[in-house]
Amino acid sequence: MGLLGSLVVIILTSIVGIVWYFVHLIAQGFTVQYKDEQDFVSDQLRGLLGVDDIQPSSYRPTVEPQYLSGIVDLIETSISGLWLAQFLYMILLLFLFFLVVDIWFIEYPFSFMFNAIIGAMTVMLFSYYVTTTNSKSLTRALIQSQFSKEESFGYMYQCGFAIVSLLFSLLFGMYVLMYYFNVAVWGGDLKKGEYEKVSILMIGFLMGMILGGFIYREGISMMCRSLKTASFGLIRADLNLSVGNNNISQLTRLAYMVSQQAGNAIVNYLDTGFVLVFLCCAISQIVINSPEILDSKNKSAFIMGPIYLICIGYLGSIICYFLKTMCTDQETGSFAALNVRWQVIIAALISFIIHVSFPFSFLIDKFTLKGENTKDIDFESKSTMNACWCYLLGLIFNVLHISLFEWYTSHGCPNVRNMGLATSDRILPMNLIYSNYLGDLFSAIPAILMFLLISIVYSIEGFAGLLFAASGYISLFIIYGVIFFIGCNSSDSYKLTCFAHFISDVQGKIFQIYWEAKNYMVFLKATNAGTTFLISIGIIGAQLYQYPTALNSLFIHNEGFLGLFIGFSLMFVCRGINIWGIINVAKSYFIFQPSDEAEGKLNYLKDIRIIEFTKFKYTHSMLYVAYNILFITIMILMFGSILGHAGSVAIMIGASIATFLIQYTGLIKGTTLENSRVYNEIQDNRKDHHYLMYVSGDTYACATEESNACPLIPYLIYVFCLLISCQKHFAKAEK
């Protein structure tokens, strides 16, 4: 299939994905403007609330549907109310980036900034729709649960599939649009010089996405982690989250629900989008060094290769959509787990079939990769067949990785269960020490497998093979994204059933889905982490082709050693600033705890304090995000100018290794602690002396998993974008 065929597939699939999302909105009534949304939700929820199951000490209005719909409305309003502040922060950040970095360090400042603005607006648009869909689906999932677990699970699957459809359609559609726009305006004859400019401008599009992500992803992330950390102590010290509990203030409960709603889906979905576009930009960077590709009429089809394969995979995943509940509702409690596993198996088989049926037919048969002074770094020619093997290896190793991560962190693993059960006989710090031990131990095998994959694909296809392997590694992201949404939505819905007393049957169905799906949320996080590392190594190879020395001689000079140390240190300092920010924002949370509060009164929800409180905490969180951006930008520009191109490549290597190690250990430690708490909270909740462990475990899990691991993906990509876009300035400074 040539350029025209692959382009038609990409365009049609993007249209299908966007149409699928909006059809889902229309079908669920999300676009209908009811005269009173609360009345509509109240009518739908009326049958889910039961008076007989209410505790005698609870205040009567807590069971009213109107009261519950008021809670949901406040949660949604407090999140969507940040839109104006986020937009203004994004404009300010883009303007400062233009003044400080773009004009002085980038060779094409105005065209680069234009692409960055489009990238930031794309992230803004996606974030808006995800927030809307996620909030509205909170009560709809509960409404479906009154029929069966299958209905509720199927509804969550539909929402997740619609959001993932919007994700890849919007991001890939805009990427393809901007690529051909840049080619038409600045590409010329697409010789090496012109194409190098186009590739830098596409880095500008990704840079804009990252800058927008700092506002719509990182600001929300830090706010939610701080609210979650601060409220854990108050919530977990008394498991009764309901409104009738006078030990927990209303503001605490609402802030906790806001952190649950806003802090999960948007963060990890945007990470997936960043990684996908990062992969596309890496392909553009590496083809600069291949004369055969640049001279071919099929070069654009080569560059669109990852997008083409993912689009074909999306069309194949529609089969998974119609098989979303292969296993019927079972009393054994394994209904959701069996369906999730079958989804992964079917998606992997579909990806394999697609790979065999469309074996990179749009690629060039043979190509070489050369450096600036015609020095070959990869001496052998690359072939299409080798690229196919690299893609397949990436797919296989991804399935192995996610299986290991799921087992090592699930509450089905004996070590995870025992970590919580043993705390009654040990001092409190032993729980944290044990989690560190498990994190370091369990992250060793996935890390070894990752380095084994890198070694194999490099021996087959060189640095280009790493990018083909990354395409296969992330090829199942559509299904992982759907599974992640099921985990998020079931978790949030279950918290809502605790907030307002639902009848036990409804609460039990939601909890069973949440109990099983929670184990599989790590699929998407682990895939994002592994794919980022593969792409990072591949794009480092693309930079090495521009440097007249091979990799094994890079660290002979002082610039290489110093750059490696700086890149390694940058990621650890970035992690430290995140934790510092969360601690400070969480500490100030308690200032807002009211001293005399009338709990459970209906008119309390007319109060707008939660909305104002959320805006204040978001602004406070953005201050620490600004610290991180400022620190990384100054360090990269300063040391890049001093160390030159060789030092810049070394900074990339150090940052990649540090991020990889932090992410793998952080994900395992945090998820292990959280799932251990969930297991013991349910299975052993009669032992009051365990509550102290729950509090510390949850807080530590929040800091370890989310604050350490997740934020490093956008910061790492930001480092790479900054170094690549400023590389000509750094090379001039070196000379």
Side-chain angles (χ1 to χ4, degrees):
M1 182 178 293
L3 171 60
L4 181 60
S6 60
L7 186 59
V8 169
V9 170
I10 293 171
I11 293 174
L12 289 179
T13 309
S14 298
I15 294 174
V16 169
I18 293 175
V19 171
W20 189 292
Y21 173 78
F22 284 102
V23 167
H24 169 77
L25 292 189
I26 296 172
Q28 301 302 324
F30 288 175
T31 57
V32 178
Q33 298 297 322
Y34 296 99
K35 292 183 179 180
D36 191 343
E37 174 70 11
Q38 291 190 18
D39 289 339
F40 168 75
V41 177
S42 297
D43 292 338
Q44 298 296 316
L45 293 173
R46 194 172 299 278
L48 304 183
L49 296 166
V51 179
D52 295 336
D53 292 317
I54 303 305
Q55 299 176 6
S57 59
S58 299
Y59 194 79
R60 179 64 180 86
T62 61
V63 303
E64 293 294 340
Q66 182 73 23
Y67 188 86
L68 177 61
S69 60
I71 294 173
V72 176
D73 185 66
L74 272 179
I75 293 171
E76 179 184 352
T77 304
S78 61
I79 300 172
S80 59
L82 299 174
W83 184 86
L84 180 59
Q86 291 173 323
F87 179 75
L88 294 177
Y89 282 135
M90 185 184 71
I91 297 298
L92 178 61
L93 182 58
L94 289 171
F95 179 71
L96 293 176
F97 180 84
F98 177 74
L99 292 181
V100 176
V101 180
D102 198 32
I103 293 178
W104 304 101
F105 292 91
I106 299 177
E107 192 171 3
Y108 325 105
F110 294 100
S111 52
F112 186 92
M113 197 63 204
F114 174 76
N115 282 268
I117 293 173
I118 299 298
M121 298 298 289
T122 303
V123 168
M124 180 189 72
L125 191 61
F126 174 74
S127 301
Y128 169 77
Y129 282 113
V130 169
T131 301
T132 302
T133 307
N134 198 29
S135 300
K136 295 290 187 181
S137 63
L138 184 61
T139 50
R140 267 66 172 187
L142 292 175
I143 294 169
Q144 295 297 322
S145 65
Q146 63 182 313
F147 303 107
S148 66
K149 285 191 295 185
E150 294 180 53
E151 292 291 333
S152 184
F153 181 89
Y155 174 79
M156 296 177 191
Y157 192 103
Q158 293 172 24
C159 289
F161 196 87
I163 290 177
V164 177
S165 299
L166 179 68
L167 172 70
F168 96 89
S169 299
L170 185 60
L171 296 186
F172 279 168
M174 291 305 300
Y175 181 89
V176 172
L177 180 64
M178 292 309 299
Y179 170 79
Y180 282 103
F181 174 82
N182 290 324
V183 167
V185 177
W186 292 289
D189 296 329
L190 273 185
K191 299 300 181 183
K192 182 171 184 178
E194 290 89 350
Y195 191 76
E196 185 175 354
K197 179 177 181 179
V198 172
S199 66
I200 293 296
L201 295 181
M202 295 314 298
I203 291 289
F205 176 78
L206 177 57
M207 178 72 83
M209 288 182 56
I210 297 297
L211 293 176
F214 286 144
I215 305 300
Y216 288 93
R217 179 233 186 265
E218 192 59 15
I220 285 287
S221 175
M222 183 166 289
M223 180 195 74
C224 292
R225 306 313 159 201
S226 63
L227 294 181
K228 193 175 180 181
T229 301
S231 59
F232 265 141
L234 300 172
I235 299 295
R236 295 304 172 192
D238 188 336
L239 294 181
N240 184 9
L241 181 65
S242 67
V243 179
N245 180 8
N246 293 324
N247 297 325
I248 303 173
S249 71
Q250 180 76 314
L251 185 61
T252 297
R253 284 188 290 269
L254 289 174
Y256 182 71
M257 289 301 300
V258 168
S259 69
Q260 292 290 312
Q261 265 286 292
N264 286 322
I266 188 66
V267 170
N268 290 279
Y269 281 143
L270 281 180
D271 279 355
T272 302
F274 297 153
V275 172
L276 291 170
V277 177
F278 190 36
L279 173 61
C280 297
C281 291
I283 295 288
S284 298
Q285 282 290 308
I286 206 166
V287 300
I288 298 173
N289 308 283
S290 176
E292 294 83 0
I293 295 177
L294 291 178
D295 292 337
S296 172
K297 297 180 179 179
N298 237 14
K299 52 181 169 286
S300 293
F302 187 100
I303 296 163
M304 296 298 158
I307 302 178
Y308 169 75
L309 288 173
I310 290 173
C311 288
I312 293 293
Y314 171 75
L315 296 177
S317 67
I318 295 178
I319 299 175
C320 295
Y321 177 85
F322 290 108
L323 298 175
K324 54 182 174 289
T325 53
M326 288 184 61
C327 303
T328 58
D329 193 345
Q330 300 180 14
E331 296 300 329
T332 58
S334 58
F335 161 73
L338 289 174
N339 279 291
V340 166
R341 291 169 185 168
W342 273 112
Q343 284 288 308
V344 175
I345 293 172
I346 295 173
L349 290 175
I350 291 174
S351 181
F352 175 78
I353 293 172
I354 290 171
H355 172 74
V356 173
S357 304
F358 302 91
F360 289 82
S361 57
F362 47 81
L363 296 182
I364 299 165
D365 291 336
K366 297 286 184 179
F367 62 95
T368 57
L369 299 170
K370 298 178 179 292
E372 278 289 330
N373 57 353
T374 69
K375 177 181 178 62
D376 286 339
I377 295 186
D378 295 331
F379 295 98
E380 298 181 359
S381 297
K382 316 304 171 197
S383 68
T384 298
M385 184 57 66
N386 289 343
C388 293
W389 282 112
C390 293
Y391 179 93
L392 184 59
L393 285 170
L395 172 62
I396 294 173
F397 272 79
N398 171 255
V399 175
L400 291 176
H401 268 138
I402 60 118
S403 300
L404 288 172
F405 271 99
E406 187 271 327
W407 172 246
Y408 288 154
T409 61
S410 69
H411 41 60
C413 178
N415 288 325
V416 177
R417 297 198 304 268
N418 293 337
M419 183 174 65
L421 290 172
T423 53
S424 59
D425 301 322
R426 302 180 183 182
I427 58 175
L428 181 61
M430 187 62 72
N431 185 45
L432 307 184
I433 295 173
Y434 191 34
S435 70
N436 283 328
Y437 163 73
L438 292 180
D440 295 336
L441 177 66
F442 288 162
S443 63
I445 295 179
I448 292 172
L449 287 176
M450 177 59 73
F451 285 111
L452 178 63
L453 172 62
I454 291 173
S455 301
I456 294 174
V457 298
Y458 180 81
S459 64
I460 294 175
E461 194 80 338
F463 284 108
L466 293 169
L467 300 182
F468 296 128
S471 300
Y473 196 90
I474 202 173
S475 59
L476 302 183
F477 84 94
I478 296 173
I479 298 303
Y480 295 160
V482 173
I483 294 171
F484 186 84
F485 184 86
I486 293 173
C488 289
N489 194 273
S490 60
S491 173
D492 298 341
S493 299
Y494 175 67
K495 297 297 190 303
L496 189 60
T497 63
C498 296
F499 196 106
H501 299 281
F502 275 73
I503 57 177
S504 57
D505 180 58
V506 171
Q507 191 177 58
K509 291 175 183 177
I510 291 295
F511 173 75
Q512 287 183 10
I513 297 175
Y514 158 63
W515 171 259
E516 299 167 34
K518 186 173 180 57
N519 287 336
Y520 304 99
M521 292 174 67
V522 75
F523 284 0
L524 187 65
K525 298 178 183 179
T527 300
N528 288 341
T531 309
T532 303
F533 186 61
L534 287 171
I535 300 171
S536 300
I537 303 301
I539 208 167
I540 287 169
Q543 291 298 298
L544 283 173
Y545 295 132
Q546 304 299 313
Y547 183 62
T549 307
L551 178 63
N552 56 7
S553 61
L554 179 64
F555 300 108
I556 294 178
H557 307 289
N558 293 332
E559 291 85 352
F561 281 108
L562 185 57
L564 183 67
F565 173 77
I566 292 169
F568 200 83
S569 302
L570 273 177
M571 294 296 103
F572 278 94
V573 174
C574 175
R575 181 192 69 169
I577 293 176
N578 270 278
I579 298 175
W580 172 54
I582 284 178
I583 291 173
N584 286 339
V585 177
K587 286 195 303 184
S588 65
Y589 168 85
F590 295 100
I591 299 175
F592 286 82
Q593 291 300 307
S595 57
D596 51 345
E597 182 178 287
E599 289 289 342
K601 288 187 177 179
L602 188 61
N603 58 8
Y604 181 84
L605 289 178
K606 298 177 181 178
D607 193 334
I608 63 170
R609 281 188 303 161
I610 183 60
I611 300 174
E612 298 302 323
F613 174 74
T614 305
K615 292 179 180 178
F616 173 79
K617 303 311 290 184
Y618 177 78
T619 302
H620 194 184
S621 300
M622 280 304 305
L623 178 63
Y624 295 96
V625 176
Y627 290 157
N628 241 333
I629 299 173
L630 186 63
F631 170 76
I632 291 178
T633 303
I634 292 175
M635 296 297 289
I636 291 296
L637 296 180
M638 181 175 65
F639 284 103
S641 300
I642 295 173
L643 301 179
H645 195 193
S648 300
V649 175
I651 291 174
M652 293 181 185
I653 296 174
S656 300
I657 295 174
T659 303
F660 175 72
L661 296 177
I662 293 172
Q663 282 187 305
Y664 267 28
T665 56
L667 285 174
I668 290 180
K669 290 177 187 177
T671 310
T672 297
L673 275 167
E674 190 170 359
N675 284 343
S676 173
R677 184 269 304 167
V678 172
Y679 175 82
N680 289 282
E681 181 179 289
I682 302 303
Q683 300 295 330
D684 203 27
N685 58 9
R686 292 172 296 178
K687 297 183 179 181
D688 297 337
H689 54 272
H690 279 193
Y691 288 166
L692 186 60
M693 181 277 295
Y694 301 153
V695 173
S696 64
D698 266 338
T699 305
Y700 189 72
C702 177
T704 302
E705 179 195 5
E706 303 294 351
S707 306
N708 289 13
C710 291
L712 294 185
I713 288 181
Y715 285 115
L716 177 68
I717 298 177
Y718 178 69
V719 168
F720 271 70
C721 290
L722 204 56
L723 288 169
I724 294 171
S725 57
C726 301
Q727 60 184 342
K728 288 190 177 296
H729 177 85
F730 296 157
K732 292 177 182 178
E734 183 179 29
K735 295 179 181 178

